[in-house]
Amino acid sequence: MKVAIGCDHGGFSLKAGLIGVLKDLGHEAVDCGCHSADSVDYPDFAAEVCAKVASGECGRGVLICGTGIGMSMAANRDPNIRAALCHELFTARMSREHNDANVLCLGARVVGPGLAEEMLKVWMETGFAGGRHLRRIEKFSRG
Ligand code: RB5
């Protein structure tokens, strides 16, 4: 699967390791920047990643900022996007199983690289349960 990944300066430190995880799992990471720790605006990178997911060019997206909060707020403005801000493994798994999250948001100042990489693995490998959960996401989401 092609997975779009983007960050701001607050999330830059995590991005390379997460790209490595995607590659190890056999996915193609589409790096939407940023490409240094210089200060940038997170909504610009959320928009780029979400556009690739909404268009179908990428199957899923990953967004990283300092807390994950700004990225998740910006991403969820798009009705095609179900972005989940997760800080531990349980919500990473449940965001796929119950919410069919198509974007994972992470806070690089909240979780360390080891946990972030495990969360991404679990998130990529967990399927959507469908059924009643599909009915529920259809009530608020287009994608
Ligand atoms: C940048 O300093 C920081 O505000 C940003 O990375 C993010 O945490 C916003 O939600």
Side-chain angles (χ1 to χ4, degrees):
M1 180 193 299
K2 281 172 83 169
V3 180
I5 183 164
C7 65
D8 73 353
H9 53 287
F12 181 68
S13 60
L14 270 188
K15 182 159 60 82
L18 296 179
I19 289 174
V21 167
L22 291 171
K23 288 183 180 162
D24 288 349
L25 293 173
H27 300 294
E28 181 187 340
V30 179
D31 188 350
C32 300
C34 62
H35 299 291
S36 80
D38 294 344
S39 183
V40 292
D41 297 337
Y42 60 82
D44 299 338
F45 300 90
E48 182 144 356
V49 165
C50 291
K52 288 189 189 311
V53 175
S55 70
E57 180 186 335
C58 292
R60 292 199 213 153
V62 179
L63 288 167
I64 322 141
C65 63
T67 59
I69 295 170
M71 285 295 198
S72 64
M73 286 180 169
N76 278 314
R77 298 300 300 266
D78 183 329
N80 299 288
I81 298 300
R82 291 176 302 283
L85 172 56
C86 301
H87 301 310
E88 29 64 38
L89 293 168
F90 179 70
T91 48
R93 181 164 63 80
M94 295 307 284
S95 76
R96 288 287 312 130
E97 213 172 294
H98 283 194
N99 311 109
D100 198 18
N102 53 9
V103 170
L104 174 65
C105 298
L106 297 168
R109 296 172 184 158
V110 182
V111 296
L115 177 56
E117 290 173 18
E118 279 307 306
M119 286 166 64
L120 179 57
K121 275 185 208 159
V122 164
W123 191 76
M124 287 304 302
E125 294 189 325
T126 302
F128 178 44
R132 68 187 185 281
H133 303 295
L134 176 61
R135 182 181 72 238
R136 290 165 186 163
I137 67 170
E138 281 175 345
K139 291 190 175 188
F140 71 89
S141 177
R142 200 189 290 155

